[in-house]
Amino acid sequence: MKPKNVHGNTLDALGEAIIAGRYPPGATVPPEPTLCEEFGVSRTVVREAVKSLVAKGLVSTGPKVGTRVLPSDQWNWFDPDVVAWQSKVGLTREFLRDLQETRRVVEPAAVRMAAERATAQDVAEIEAAYEGMRRAVEEGGDYVTFDLRFHQGLLRASHNRMLVQMSKALSALLRTSFEISTSRKDGPRGSLPLHRAVLDAVAAHDPARAEKSILLLIDSARDDIEAVLGSRRRLPRLNMPATLLRV
Amino acid sequence: MKPKNVHGNTLDALGEAIIAGRYPPGATVPPEPTLCEEFGVSRTVVREAVKSLVAKGLVSTGPKVGTRVLPSDQWNWFDPDVVAWQSKVGLTREFLRDLQETRRVVEPAAVRMAAERATAQDVAEIEAAYEGMRRAVEEGGDYVTFDLRFHQGLLRASHNRMLVQMSKALSALLRTSFEISTSRKDGPRGSLPLHRAVLDAVAAHDPARAEKSILLLIDSARDDIEAVLGSRRRLPRLNMPATLLRV
DNA sequence: GCGGATTTGTTCGTATGTATT
DNA sequence: TAATACATACGAACAAATCCG
C-alpha cells in the first residue's frame, strides 16, 4: 500500500528477497554498502533491518563472514512477517501442506480448550464474527475477513499463549483456504452451518462436540484445497523462478 | 556466560527486564538517551536492540510516543530468545501449563508424522541420543542433554517446518521437565523403556503405536511436574517480585 | 486550532576489531 | 605475518511525527 517508513520498507524488501530465494540458504547477502546503494538508504537503516532479520532467525552475521542466510528450518515460521513474506512471494505446496497439517493438529485441541475456558466475552466476539459471515452471505460483503475473525476468536478463547500465537501464522493458510472455498459454488453458504455447530458447542461448553464439529470444518476445507492443488491450476506465484522476482 | 558482544548483551538485558515485569505491558521503557547511559552504550546499539525487540513482538515504537511494551499475548512465544528470557526470569505456573498443553498437542502428532516420514538418518540420530541416555544412566553423565536431543530428533523427523520450529520453544519445558524427572528416584531408569518403545515404533514406521508410546511418556512427565507444582515447593524464581530483579 | 517540546527516525563521518586470505 | 574486507561501534546532527498546553 503506502510506504510506512524507511526501516519497514527495507526490512520487507530484504525479507522477501531472502524467502524468494534470491539469496538462498548458505549464501551471503551483499555487504552493507551495496545494500545501501541498492535501496537508497543509509547504512544505519540497513543494519537495523539486518538485525531484525537476525531476530527472526533468517540470517546470522559475523565480522568478515558477512551476513549468511540460515537454513529455512531455523527461520521463525510463527513470525507474522515471515509468513506474510512467504505468502506474498508465493505459497509453495510444501508450505501449504505444513500449514494444513499444523492447523489440523492445533485447531481441534484449541477449540476443545476454548469450550472449557471461553468467557462470555470470548463467545460474544465469535458470535459477532459469525453474524458478519451470515450477513456477507445474504447481503454480499467481505466474507473472508469475518471467517478469519471467527477462527482467531476460537484460538484466543483457548487462553493458551502458544496457541494464540499460532493463530497469526495460521492466518495465511486460512485466508488462502477461505479464498479457495469462497470461489467454489455455494462454498460460504454451505460452510455456515458447520461454523454454527462449532460456535454452539463452544458456547455450551461441550469440548467433545466442539472438537468433532471443527474437524468437519477443517476437512471440508482440506478437500477444497486439495482439489485445487491436484488440478493443474497453478497457485498464486507458485514455484515462480527467483529470477523473475527481481525488482 | 562470557559477554558475547555489546549488542547481544544489551538485547538480553532489555528483553529480560521487560519479561520480568520491570516495564509491564502498556508502559513505556525509558527514552533512548536514558538507556544509553544506563547500559553505557551508544545510541546505535540501543536502537538496534530495540529494533530486535520489535521484531520479536515485545514492543512497538513511534515518534514521541516512545517505546511501548505490548501485551504479552502479542509476544513471539516461539522465539528461542523470548523463551530463554522467560526461563531465566522464572517459569510461572501459567507458562508451564501452556507449554505442557502445547507439548501434549504437538508431540503426539509430530511423532505420528515421524513414524511415516523418518529417514534412516533421522532414526540413526534418535538412536544415538537414546544410546547417550542409556550410557548416562549406567555410567553416570549428562542425561538431560541426550533426552533433549532425543525429543528434538523426533520433532525434526516429522519434516514439518512448524513442528520443527516448536521443538526450540518446547526445549524450555522439556529441560525443566527432565530435571524434575531426574530428581525423582529412578526417574531416568524408569523412563528408558518408554523412550525405547517410541524409538522402535518410529523405526518400524508404525504411527499408531508411536503415538500411543509418546503419550505414555508425556503423561508420566506431566505427573512428575504436577507433583512438584502441587507441593508447596516454589519453582525456580517463581513469582519473584519484579523489584528483586533489578541489577 | 496552533505552536512548542519531546522522542524516535534518518543520515553521515570515523574509528576499531576480527576473521579470512 | 601482513593486507584486506567486512561487521561492529561511537558521536553528532537534522528531520519528522506526535503529544500537550
Side-chain angles (χ1 to χ4, degrees), chain B residues 13 24 45 50 54 72 80 86 99 125 128 130 167 175 195 197-198 208 211 213 233 240:
Chain B
V45 172
V50 170
V54 171
S72 64
Q86 178 71 69
L99 271 175
E125 284 177 13
Y130 176 82
S167 75
R175 183 170 287 280
H195 284 83
V198 176
E211 185 172 4
S213 307
R233 261 192 53 198
M240 177 172 288

Side-chain angles (χ1 to χ4, degrees), chain A residues 36-59:
Chain A
C36 293
E37 194 181 346
E38 184 167 344
F39 294 112
V41 297
S42 75
R43 237 179 50 253
T44 307
V45 171
V46 168
R47 287 187 54 75
E48 288 176 356
V50 169
K51 278 291 187 299
S52 299
L53 292 177
V54 172
K56 294 174 188 300
L58 266 67
V59 302

Side-chain angles (χ1 to χ4, degrees), chain A residues 1-14:
Chain A
M1 304 294 175
K2 50 175 175 284
K4 312 177 280 197
N5 56 31
V6 183
H7 170 73
N9 293 331
T10 309
L11 177 58
D12 283 342
L14 267 178

Side-chain angles (χ1 to χ4, degrees), chain A residues 85-147:
Chain A
W85 295 331
Q86 176 72 66
S87 303
K88 189 168 181 185
V89 159
L91 297 167
T92 65
R93 286 181 168 76
E94 298 76 31
F95 184 69
L96 273 181
R97 189 208 65 177
D98 288 351
L99 271 175
Q100 173 74 22
E101 283 179 357
T102 306
R103 182 190 178 189
R104 203 174 193 286
V105 168
V106 167
E107 214 171 358
V111 167
R112 174 179 279 271
M113 292 180 207
E116 290 168 350
R117 311 206 263 245
T119 67
Q121 190 186 344
D122 291 331
V123 174
E125 285 177 14
I126 304 171
E127 183 80 53
Y130 176 82
E131 191 54 29
M133 293 166 63
R134 199 186 55 74
R135 278 222 324 276
V137 167
E138 300 195 346
E139 312 168 12
D142 190 356
Y143 181 84
V144 170
T145 295
F146 289 108
D147 201 346

